[in-house]
């Protein structure tokens, strides 16, 4: 049974960290030290998305945009549809999609900005311009970001964009990278993330994996048979878990970020943000 | 409240605090676990933080208006600017969540193209030439026109046509101002939505509207509703449908296309447009002939016998229904049996069933299906809704100010004798009726929150009539946007939007309890935009009308402070702070029809021997009629039964047999009326249907940039086999033509639509309403400005093609419904 299906315990994480660190030793960015410290955090946030419940209403995608006054063309969170089957057995799979706050984040690995020491709730760690915080949230420090776009290009899920409304602190002639923050500003104040709050189907649950009694921990335990993550073969160890009858099939349909983007670009009324100037591989400068 | 390291003892304290914060919430167990899972005792809402400054944003509870559902919301303000909207967790029907449209409400306030100033045209109607005028000038002109009519003794020639006006605002404008001014000439919009559904309700079980008790049901049969994407009580019922399904309820959707609701259903059964009723009748047949019906309910609470029903439906076989609709007979039988055994189940519908010829009949068949199974007013069934009744302490005293000279031009009920029971209006024919003139012609037509050229059928005809000053001399638009309608008017008055005004409100509960909520302004109206009630305040004295309250806020305050329950909870102050109130101890209301009448209820009443109807005769109403219904005798006991609305259906039971329909030469029991046009179609002709999607509301959310970013184009959905026959490939440019015109649009070849249909959403294809909507900037005089960074980031240019140009204004002769789903079209590649 792969790691993704168990709720991660701290012991698991340390084991995985060692493997992860060794794997990227060559890239020399995410060090063992960064990971081990992070494991000491009290909270490890994760999200569970129940695909049986999700109705594809897009309230989450819009709520995210309004919470952060996100610019047109930029999406931190989206919902894509995948149609298949011949009439009359036509089907539509619905997949909410956002940053997975991976435990082995390929975006963080390639950030060229020099790491500095930081502390989060008493836990010391190192952070570049993009970093994984000890509580699991992957963030961008737009004040230090130089707008090079490496993280954007290296994310296999293509969930990062340039933010055309802002200037990168580390290079004001460029736009900084933009992504889902798991509404850490709300979590800090004890309030559920905006997408979680608004979901009429209550399909999104956020919680603490370090607590075996949290909703997310309990759900992952109960759904061992149907839980799935996106692009597991990339070994990013995503912390967004999909449950429900269609979870496995829905996630298996995508082999790459391009597949996900292709679905989003199909003519059934989806956001064609690849056309936008601030999508993953273009613009930003 | 930051989450810090906590001990186990603290966990329980935190849990308790969270519970306090959520006092008044109706939580089921699953919800409680989600919210209060030990260490992550996260608050659900009613609190937001600025991601930039980390400061708490100011929470202002209010109400949504992006669609008629009117969910309770919490709006967040930062430095006087509206920055976020969420659902109000303190209003049970909303339960703290909110749809995409509600979330994007901010876009209405800060739309750079919204109406900000009164303008008057300087060129001809529709020339697009305007001059900005002051409110004083505007008021002077409008009052002048209205006073002239009063002096001439014809106040009824002031017509007020609204699309969406509800709650205390409606009360203010119609119940106070129009009543005192002396005009009853109003028209609404219901018939372009689901008018026939409500007429069917009046003819069958009395008052219109129903609540589907999804949370408690086992099986849902859905005929043409897309409740998960759009509904008049959308979020309240959609979330409860998800809960019901999470508990194991099955959903079967009969629809022309694979809506999201169909996609999420246990099964989608495609049907040819307009044939669903055949399936419903066949199901009733299976249930009756299989002896699976609720004998007691049919006997006590319908006005037909089991034998009558069996005899009536026996000819509607599943095999016949398959021939008509395409739905397999085996499936029809299987589902009918399962439905009767579901105990409880609920059969639901919306425009897919009723926006057709004889839509009234179709909905009556649906109610009958629920009735024969006994699924009326029970947990999990088809229930009479529970709203909220506010007390208005001024209403009675104001009666003395009602105009002595009062008139009404019947422009809102269709052509003379064209409709049997147009009790919910015939809005699509208002312009045609005015042109014809047989019901008189208004001198002044004011439109409020309605866009007739766009929302009715036959756009060109609508435009031609509105532009003709010899037909309608004075055309005034009171609107938030430079809509298609406003753009061809004489004067446009800028309306404040819903986040800038007041209301005392109630709408159907999802839990069958009384829920009171208010709308309060979140920000001051931008520019010179003005709530219509303020406009009424300012012009009322010109007519010698003395409103008993200073303004809408005062009326809402008085209603909050004098309505039982709300008053005791803290009245206005409580509502300002919480947005909503309900009695936490109130039990859900079911079996309302079986409420036994008291001696007091029965004082002065008589019983009609034939029907068992209990009525209270007086001078004006000596015989049983729609106005003096009190109850229904069943086996010698007096019950409340099913009260009447406008139509006397001659029974307090469910009128499966309708005397009023028989009177007008329609079949008194539900039957199958094939769509006339569909019986003589040639090869290659298709049936045009329209539909709604998850991120738009009909015609007035397309200026919301975030919503239109998601959905801005409406290709025509065509089945692959059909497309192949016509030589059409996905993405091809096609011409779709009807008897009245043609449009050129794109084809979307998809398995998600019936082969006989071509489906085009009506959300797209605006030619005004702002840059985000149509790409066209309104005149600067109205206030259109460039104060929006996203104007430069609008990445789409395809704004779609509106189908209504080729859909005629075609009225169902039974109930007045606009027949959206019946148009026969030809399609060819261009």
């Amino acid at each position: 049974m792969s790691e993704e299906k168990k709720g991660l315990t701290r012991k698991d994480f340390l084991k995985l960290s060692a493997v992860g660190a060794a794997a990227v030793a060559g890239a020399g960015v995410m060090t063992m030290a960064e990971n081990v410290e992070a494991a000491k955090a009290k909270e490890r946030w994760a999200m569970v998305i129940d695909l049986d419940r999700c109705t594809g209403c897009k309230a989450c995608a819009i709520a995210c945009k309004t919470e952060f006054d996100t610019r047109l063309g930029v999406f931190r969170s989206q919902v894509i549809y995948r149609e298949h089957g011949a009439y009359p057995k036509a089907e539509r799979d619905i997949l909410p999609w956002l940053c997975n706050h991976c435990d082995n984040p390929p975006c963080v690995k390639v950030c060229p900005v020099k790491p500095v020491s930081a502390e989060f709730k008493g836990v010391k760690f190192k952070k570049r311009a993009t970093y994984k915080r000890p509580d699991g949230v992957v963030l961008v420090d737009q004040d230090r970001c130089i707008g090079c776009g490496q993280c954007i290009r290296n994310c296999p899920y293509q969930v990062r964009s340039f933010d055309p409304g802002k200037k990168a602190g580390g290079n004001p002639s460029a736009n900084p990278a933009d992504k889902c923050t798991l509404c850490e500003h709300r979590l800090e104040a004890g309030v559920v993330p905006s997408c979680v709050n608004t979901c009429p189907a209550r399909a999104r649950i956020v919680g603490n994996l370090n607590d075996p009694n949290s909703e997310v921990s309990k759900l992952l335990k109960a759904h061992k048979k149907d839980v799935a993550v996106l692009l597991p073969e990339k070994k990013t160890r995503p912390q967004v878990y999909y449950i429900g009858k269609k979870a496995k099939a829905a996630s298996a349909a995508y082999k790459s970020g391009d597949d996900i983007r292709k679905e989003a670009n199909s003519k059934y009324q989806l956001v064609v943000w690849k056309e936008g100037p601030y999508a993953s591989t273009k613009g930003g400068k | 409240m930051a989450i810090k390291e906590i001990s186990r003892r603290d966990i329980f304290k935190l849990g308790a605090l969270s519970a306090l914060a959520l006092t008044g919430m109706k939580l089921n167990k699953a919800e409680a676990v989600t919210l209060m899972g030990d260490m992550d005792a996260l608050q659900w809402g009613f609190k937001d933080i600025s991601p930039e400054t980390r400061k708490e944003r100011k929470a202002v509870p209010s109400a949504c208006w992006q669609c008629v559902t009117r969910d309770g919301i919490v709006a967040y303000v930062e430095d006087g600017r509206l920055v976020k909207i969420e659902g109000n967790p303190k209003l049970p029907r909303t339960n703290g969540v909110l749809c995409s449209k509600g979330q994007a409400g901010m876009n209405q306030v800060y739309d750079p193209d919204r109406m900000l100033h009164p303008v008057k045209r300087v060129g001809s109607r529709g020339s697009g030439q305007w001059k900005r005028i002051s409110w004083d000038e505007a008021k002077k002109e409008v009052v002048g026109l209205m006073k002239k009519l009063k002096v001439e003794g014809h106040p009824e020639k002031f017509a007020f046509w609204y699309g969406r006006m509800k709650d205390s605002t409606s009360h203010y404008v119609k119940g106070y101002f129009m009543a005192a001014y002396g005009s009853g000439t109003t028209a609404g919009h219901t018939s372009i939505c689901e008018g026939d559904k409500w007429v069917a309700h009046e003819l069958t079980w009395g008052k219109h509207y129903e609540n589907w008790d999804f949370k408690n049901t086992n099986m849902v049969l859905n005929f043409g509703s897309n409740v998960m994407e759009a509904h008049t009580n959308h979020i309240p019922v959609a979330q409860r449908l998800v809960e019901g399904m999470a508990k194991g309820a099955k959903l079967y959707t009969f629809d022309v296309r694979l809506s999201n609701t169909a996609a999420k259903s246990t099964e989608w059964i495609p049907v040819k447009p307009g044939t669903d009723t055949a399936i419903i009748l066949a199901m009733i047949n299976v249930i009756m002939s299989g002896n699976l019906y609720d004998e007691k309910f049919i006997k006590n609470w319908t006005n037909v016998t089991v034998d009558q029903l069996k005899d009536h439906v026996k000819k509607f076989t599943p095999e016949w229904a398959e021939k008509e609709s395409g739905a397999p007979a085996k499936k029809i039988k299987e589902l009918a049996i399962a439905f009767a055994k579901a105990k409880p189940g609920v059969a639901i519908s919306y425009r897919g069933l009723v926006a057709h010829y004889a839509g009234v009949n179709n909905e009556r068949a649906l109610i009958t299906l629920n009735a024969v199974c006994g699924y009326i007013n029970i947990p999990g069934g088809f229930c009479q809704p529970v709203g909220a009744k506010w007390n208005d302490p001024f209403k009675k005293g104001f009666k003395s100010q009602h105009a002595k000279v009062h008139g009404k031009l019947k422009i809102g009920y269709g052509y003379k004798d064209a409709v049997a029971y147009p009790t919910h209006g015939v809005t699509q024919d208002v312009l045609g009726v005015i042109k014809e003139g047989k019901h008189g012609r208004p001198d002044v037509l004011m439109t409020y929150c309605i866009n007739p050229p766009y929302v009715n059928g036959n756009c060109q005809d609508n435009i031609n009539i509105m532009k003709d000053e010899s037909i309608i001399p004075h055309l005034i638009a009171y609107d938030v946007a430079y809509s298609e309608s406003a753009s061809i008017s004489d004067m446009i008055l800028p309306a404040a939007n819903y986040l800038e005004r007041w209301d005392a409100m109630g709408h159907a509960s999802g839990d069958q309890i009384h829920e009171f909520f208010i709308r309060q302004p979140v920000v001051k109206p931008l520019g010179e935009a003005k709530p219509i009630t303020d406009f009424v305040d300012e012009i009322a004295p010109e007519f010698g009308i003395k409103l008993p309250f200073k303004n809408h806020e005062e009326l809402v305050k008085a209603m909050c402070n004098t309505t039982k329950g709300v008053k005791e909870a803290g009245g206005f102050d409580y509502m300002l702070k919480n947005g909503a109130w309900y009695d936490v101890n109130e039990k859900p209301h079911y079996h309302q029809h079986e409420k036994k009448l008291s001696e007091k209820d029965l004082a002065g009443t008589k019983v009609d021997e034939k029907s068992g109807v209990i009525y209270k005769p007086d001078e004006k109403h000596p015989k049983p009629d729609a106005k003096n219904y009190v109850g229904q005798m069943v086996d010698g006991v007096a019950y409340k039964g099913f009260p009447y609305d406008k139509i006397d259906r001659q029974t307090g039971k469910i009128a499966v047999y309708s005397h009023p329909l028989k009177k007008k030469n329609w079949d008194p029991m539900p039957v199958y009326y094939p769509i006339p046009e569909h019986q003589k179609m040639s090869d290659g002709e298709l049936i045009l249907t329209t539909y709604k999607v998850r991120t738009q509301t009909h015609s007035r959310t397309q200026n919301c940039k975030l919503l239109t970013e998601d959905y801005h184009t409406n290709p025509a959905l065509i089945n692959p086999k059909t497309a192949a026959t016509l030589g059409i490939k996905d993405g091809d440019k096609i011409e779709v033509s009807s008897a009245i015109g043609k449009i050129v649009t794109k084809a979307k070849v998809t398995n998600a639509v019936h082969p006989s249909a071509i489906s085009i959403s009506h959300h797209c294809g605006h030619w005004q309403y702002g840059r985000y909507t149509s790409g066209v900037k309104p005149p600067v005089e109205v206030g259109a400005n460039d104060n929006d960074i996203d104007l430069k980031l609008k990445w789409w240019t395809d704004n779609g093609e509106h189908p209504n140009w080729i859909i005629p204004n075609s009225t169902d002769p039974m109930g007045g419904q606009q027949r959206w789903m019946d148009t026969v079209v030809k399609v060819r590649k261009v």
Side-chain angles (χ1 to χ4, degrees):
Chain A
M1 181 156 68
S2 74
E3 298 97 69
E4 288 77 32
K5 287 174 191 171
K6 296 186 258 188
L8 286 181
T9 64
R10 282 220 284 275
K11 213 168 74 169
D12 290 343
F13 187 84
L14 284 170
K15 221 169 34 178
L16 293 167
S17 306
V19 169
V24 304
V29 174
M30 180 81 134
T31 67
M32 177 76 159
E34 288 169 41
N35 280 334
V36 168
E37 289 302 312
K40 288 188 184 157
K42 286 278 188 290
E43 288 112 16
R44 289 293 296 194
W45 296 109
M47 180 179 284
V48 172
I49 298 181
D50 188 341
L51 294 181
D52 280 349
R53 284 175 163 263
C54 173
T55 62
C57 75
K58 307 232 180 179
C60 54
I62 305 294
C64 176
K65 291 201 79 153
T66 60
E67 180 76 12
F68 297 94
D69 188 25
T70 308
R71 304 276 60 83
L72 291 181
V74 177
F75 295 86
R76 297 179 169 197
S77 181
Q78 249 300 349
V79 182
I80 57 176
Y81 300 165
R82 189 178 70 92
E83 283 187 12
H84 54 100
Y87 178 87
K89 297 280 174 218
E91 286 183 50
R92 181 175 306 128
D93 293 342
I94 298 166
L95 190 80
W97 168 39
L98 69 161
C99 168
N100 291 280
H101 297 277
C102 303
D103 269 359
N104 183 22
C107 51
V108 171
K109 276 203 238 316
V110 298
C111 177
V113 174
K114 190 168 166 213
V116 294
S117 297
E119 189 179 310
F120 180 74
K121 295 189 175 176
V123 179
K124 289 190 175 54
F125 69 108
K126 292 261 202 273
K127 59 181 255 197
R128 296 174 178 269
T130 191
Y131 58 100
K132 186 165 175 83
R133 209 164 65 174
D135 64 347
V137 185
V138 176
L139 297 167
V140 176
D141 183 349
Q142 292 183 328
D143 291 336
R144 298 186 68 223
C145 177
I146 60 170
C148 68
Q150 295 269 67
C151 60
I152 296 173
R153 285 185 283 276
N154 217 43
C155 171
Y157 306 99
Q158 300 190 31
V159 291
R160 288 176 172 245
S161 314
F162 287 104
D163 182 350
K166 297 212 173 81
K167 292 187 168 68
N171 175 12
S173 67
N175 300 118
D178 183 87
K179 65 177 290 299
C180 164
T181 62
L182 207 61
C183 276
E184 52 84 28
H185 65 294
R186 289 168 62 115
L187 289 175
E188 182 184 74
V191 184
V192 299
S194 187
C195 59
V196 172
N197 161 283
T198 209
C199 177
R202 285 170 212 248
R204 295 168 92 110
I205 305 104
V206 141
N208 181 7
L209 280 182
N210 279 355
D211 176 4
N213 291 318
S214 68
E215 179 77 359
V216 291
S217 297
K218 287 198 207 159
L219 282 170
L220 290 175
K221 197 162 171 209
H223 286 266
K224 280 196 177 117
K225 288 212 167 81
D226 57 60
V227 71
V229 296
L230 288 180
L231 309 180
E233 65 279 4
K234 303 275 179 189
K235 308 231 187 278
T236 53
R237 298 202 305 280
Q239 297 308 302
V240 170
Y241 298 90
Y242 296 90
I243 61 174
K245 290 191 273 294
K246 286 193 166 179
K248 282 214 165 76
S251 62
Y254 303 105
K255 294 290 161 235
S256 70
D258 270 343
D259 286 342
I260 300 173
R261 286 267 170 172
K262 196 168 115 202
E263 215 57 72
N265 290 348
S266 78
K267 287 170 197 136
Y268 185 87
Q269 271 310 264
L270 295 168
V271 181
V272 186
W273 65 90
K274 210 168 195 170
E275 287 175 8
Y278 299 98
S280 63
T281 53
K282 295 193 208 162
K285 209 166 49 103
Chain B
M1 183 195 83
I3 297 172
K4 39 193 204 328
E5 288 193 41
I6 48 183
S7 67
R8 269 202 85 73
R9 210 177 50 186
D10 290 334
I11 287 169
F12 293 104
K13 215 162 54 170
L14 262 178
L17 280 174
S18 287
L20 278 174
L22 301 159
T23 300
M25 265 180 79
K26 270 193 152 8
L27 292 176
N28 64 32
K29 215 164 157 206
E31 289 149 18
V33 169
T34 309
L35 296 169
M36 292 180 266
D38 285 52
M39 252 177 127
D40 9 87
L42 296 170
Q43 183 170 331
W44 186 263
F46 225 111
K47 185 173 178 175
D48 188 31
I49 309 293
S50 164
E52 305 285 323
T53 67
R54 305 291 170 151
K55 283 209 288 233
E56 192 170 331
R57 293 164 155 171
K58 177 168 172 231
V60 182
S62 190
C64 193
W65 184 255
Q66 288 283 66
C67 86
V68 72
T69 298
R70 293 161 286 156
D71 270 294
I73 60 174
V74 181
Y76 298 95
V77 180
E78 204 166 65
D79 299 324
R81 192 179 165 87
L82 169 62
V83 288
K84 179 70 183 171
I85 300 174
E86 295 182 332
N88 187 349
K90 301 186 186 189
L91 180 65
R93 49 189 287 272
T94 302
N95 219 358
V97 297
L98 198 66
C99 78
S100 62
K101 284 98 66 191
Q103 281 284 347
M106 290 159 43
N107 294 166
Q108 294 285 8
V109 179
Y110 301 110
D111 175 8
D113 289 341
R114 68 177 278 194
M115 286 299 309
L116 293 178
H117 306 285
V119 293
K120 189 175 164 176
R121 68 172 167 93
V122 291
S124 57
R125 274 186 193 167
S127 66
Q129 294 165 294
W130 301 88
K131 73 167 183 203
R132 197 177 285 183
I133 57 174
S134 67
W135 262 115
D136 279 343
E137 231 185 293
K139 278 184 279 180
K140 193 166 171 210
E141 185 152 338
V142 175
V143 168
L145 290 171
M146 293 175 73
K147 258 194 183 156
K148 183 164 175 280
L149 295 175
K150 268 243 356 156
V151 160
E152 289 167 359
H154 287 291
E156 77 282 357
K157 286 188 176 175
F158 172 74
F160 187 79
W161 193 5
Y162 56 96
R164 183 60 75 214
M165 188 171 70
K166 292 271 188 193
D167 308 307
S168 54
T169 298
S170 179
H171 197 39
Y172 215 103
V173 172
K174 291 205 297 183
Y176 283 96
F177 181 74
M178 294 284 279
Y181 172 77
S183 174
T185 309
T186 61
H189 90 289
T190 310
S191 65
I192 60 165
C193 184
E194 80 286 64
D196 266 9
K197 186 172 162 76
W198 306 142
V199 176
H201 282 216
E202 285 196 54
L203 290 167
T204 314
W205 78 341
K207 293 196 192 291
H208 67 284
Y209 215 75
E210 81 266 28
N211 178 40
W212 305 322
D213 194 21
F214 285 143
K215 230 167 160 173
N216 300 309
T217 202
N218 291 323
M219 181 169 170
V220 183
L221 289 176
N222 171 17
F223 296 93
S225 163
N226 187 11
V227 60
M228 287 185 181
E229 292 191 72
H231 185 264
T232 49
N233 205 16
H234 182 217
I235 288 304
V237 288
Q239 63 176 292
R240 285 166 175 82
L241 175 56
V242 171
E243 291 306 322
M245 290 177 78
K247 287 196 283 183
K250 303 261 189 291
L251 168 65
Y252 296 90
T253 296
F254 296 86
D255 202 319
V256 170
R257 93 198 152 90
L258 188 77
S259 61
N260 280 358
T261 306
K264 293 295 299 184
S265 295
T266 310
E267 197 173 338
W268 169 48
I269 301 111
V271 289
K272 184 178 166 200
T275 62
D276 319 51
T277 312
I279 299 167
I280 297 173
L281 292 165
M283 286 188 170
I284 297 172
N285 183 7
V286 169
I287 293 167
M288 295 309 297
S289 59
N291 295 322
L292 297 167
Y293 50 85
D294 183 329
E295 183 167 4
K296 194 162 169 226
F297 189 84
I298 294 175
K299 177 172 175 285
N300 288 345
W301 289 108
T302 73
N303 67 349
V304 289
T305 64
V306 163
D307 288 337
Q308 262 181 298
L309 266 165
K310 278 184 172 177
D311 190 60
H312 177 73
V313 296
K314 67 175 187 253
K315 66 177 189 267
F316 305 120
T317 64
E319 291 71 25
W320 160 80
E322 175 173 345
K323 270 216 225 84
E324 285 297 314
S325 68
K330 187 163 173 268
K331 181 64 63 178
I332 294 172
K333 271 185 216 147
E334 196 182 286
L335 291 179
I337 294 166
F339 185 65
K341 291 186 173 169
K343 296 196 199 321
V346 61
I348 72 174
S349 70
Y350 233 88
R351 291 186 327 138
L353 182 69
V354 305
H356 292 278
Y357 178 81
V360 172
N361 167 81
N362 305 347
E363 178 76 3
R364 281 176 39 72
L366 184 94
I367 299 173
T368 304
L369 174 58
N370 282 304
V372 300
C373 295
Y375 294 159
I376 303 283
N377 282 346
I378 60 162
F382 193 92
C383 302
Q384 286 174 299
V386 180
K389 203 159 189 300
W390 288 92
N391 178 54
D392 175 3
F394 305 109
K395 199 164 124 179
K396 216 161 143 201
F398 191 75
K399 282 211 165 98
S400 61
Q401 286 202 60
H402 284 191
K404 303 285 182 291
V405 177
H406 185 280
K408 178 176 175 155
L409 295 181
K410 286 209 167 120
I411 57 171
Y413 299 93
Y415 296 97
K416 207 164 189 294
D417 297 329
V419 180
Y421 290 102
T423 51
H424 289 265
V426 186
T427 192
Q428 67 276 10
D429 287 335
V430 167
L431 292 172
V433 163
I434 291 174
K435 180 178 174 185
E436 190 199 46
K438 287 203 178 125
H439 285 296
R441 278 191 182 166
D443 184 65
V444 181
L445 173 60
M446 181 180 274
T447 58
Y448 177 74
C449 196
I450 194 168
N451 194 2
Y454 186 85
V455 301
N456 288 340
N458 202 335
C459 304
Q460 193 57 64
D461 213 35
N462 303 332
I463 293 166
N464 294 345
I465 296 171
M466 285 180 81
K467 271 187 170 173
D468 190 341
E469 288 178 72
S470 70
I471 300 176
I472 304 171
H474 305 282
L475 201 47
I476 300 165
Y478 201 114
D479 213 324
V480 292
Y482 189 70
S483 67
E484 284 76 7
S485 190
S487 72
I488 59 175
S489 300
D490 299 330
M491 193 188 302
I492 316 173
L493 304 176
N497 71 36
Y498 70 96
L499 293 152
E500 299 166 345
R501 55 183 179 82
W502 293 93
D503 262 314
M505 318 180 51
H507 192 7
S509 165
D511 300 318
Q512 297 291 107
I513 59 168
H514 297 91
E515 303 182 33
F516 296 83
F517 58 116
I518 67 162
R519 176 191 312 287
Q520 66 179 307
V522 177
V523 290
K524 283 205 195 25
L526 263 63
E528 293 188 273
K530 195 192 291 277
I532 196 168
T533 52
D534 284 11
F535 178 72
V536 164
D537 293 339
E538 291 163 26
I539 67 169
E542 301 284 339
F543 303 98
I545 300 168
K546 212 167 173 268
L547 293 170
F549 32 76
K550 192 171 104 196
N551 50 32
H552 202 170
E553 178 178 350
E554 248 192 47
L555 174 60
V556 172
K557 186 173 183 183
M559 290 170 95
C560 291
N561 290 340
T562 61
T563 297
K564 185 161 176 256
V566 180
K567 174 181 168 190
E568 289 78 7
F572 190 55
D573 289 336
Y574 178 88
M575 293 305 263
L576 287 178
K577 197 152 160 249
N578 297 284
W581 177 83
Y582 70 103
D583 178 355
V584 293
N585 296 316
E586 185 175 357
K587 297 227 170 8
H589 298 271
Y590 296 108
H591 307 289
Q592 298 95 308
H593 57 291
E594 284 176 311
K595 180 171 177 227
K596 293 209 176 112
L597 294 179
S598 66
E599 276 210 33
K600 185 167 171 230
D601 296 326
L602 294 167
T605 61
K606 283 194 167 148
V607 177
D608 177 67
E609 275 200 46
K610 200 161 160 233
S611 64
V613 167
I614 306 164
Y615 65 105
K616 191 165 180 184
D618 62 26
E619 267 176 36
K620 272 197 198 151
H621 309 274
K623 289 216 174 74
D625 67 23
K627 301 265 179 179
N628 60 19
Y629 173 92
V630 171
Q632 175 70 42
M633 296 298 294
V634 178
D635 282 345
V637 182
Y639 295 102
K640 184 159 179 213
F642 296 92
Y644 296 171
D645 196 340
K646 295 183 198 75
I647 299 173
D648 172 13
R649 65 183 198 284
Q650 297 176 43
T651 176
K653 302 182 180 188
I654 294 198
V656 175
Y657 185 98
S658 170
H659 294 281
L661 279 180
K662 179 134 173 91
K663 188 166 158 203
K664 301 258 176 158
N665 298 315
W666 290 93
D667 210 300
M669 295 195 33
V671 293
Y672 181 65
Y673 287 104
I675 312 294
E677 298 92 317
H678 301 176
Q679 309 314 305
K680 40 184 154 111
M681 281 170 69
S682 354
D683 271 342
E685 282 186 322
L686 298 174
I687 301 165
L688 173 60
T689 69
T690 67
Y691 63 94
K692 292 185 158 96
V693 303
R694 75 256 149 203
T695 43
Q696 295 285 6
T697 296
H698 200 181
S699 64
R700 58 186 178 86
T701 51
Q702 292 77 33
N703 59 324
C704 294
K705 61 189 176 186
L706 296 180
L707 300 177
T708 301
E709 178 174 49
D710 178 76
Y711 193 85
H712 46 265
T713 188
N714 57 345
L717 308 185
I718 306 181
N719 183 282
K721 283 213 172 80
T722 309
T725 322
L726 297 168
I728 292 169
K729 288 204 195 54
D730 190 31
D732 278 352
K733 228 163 128 182
I734 56 170
E735 177 191 272
V736 186
S737 57
S738 73
I740 66 163
K742 48 171 93 108
I743 57 168
V744 174
T745 188
K746 277 197 315 261
K748 162 86 195 141
V749 177
T750 171
N751 285 290
V753 70
H754 193 275
S756 70
I758 175 167
S759 293
I760 304 178
S761 172
H762 56 203
H763 293 310
C764 306
H766 275 273
W767 55 97
Q768 294 290 353
Y769 227 100
R771 280 166 285 185
Y772 291 122
T773 317
S774 63
V776 178
K777 183 177 180 179
V780 293
E781 288 82 9
V782 313
N785 59 74
D786 296 328
N787 301 338
D788 185 347
I789 181 179
D790 280 319
L791 284 168
K792 292 205 173 77
L793 300 173
K794 180 183 175 230
W795 50 267
W796 66 94
T797 49
D798 180 357
N799 300 302
E801 292 298 327
H802 198 39
N804 292 17
W805 292 99
I806 64 172
I807 301 174
N809 282 316
S810 179
T811 298
D812 168 41
M814 239 180 156
Q817 171 76 45
Q818 161 63 2
R819 300 166 55 205
W820 288 120
M821 316 295 189
D822 291 345
T823 317
V824 174
V825 296
K826 286 189 168 64
V827 181
R828 68 183 183 99
K829 183 175 163 159
V830 290

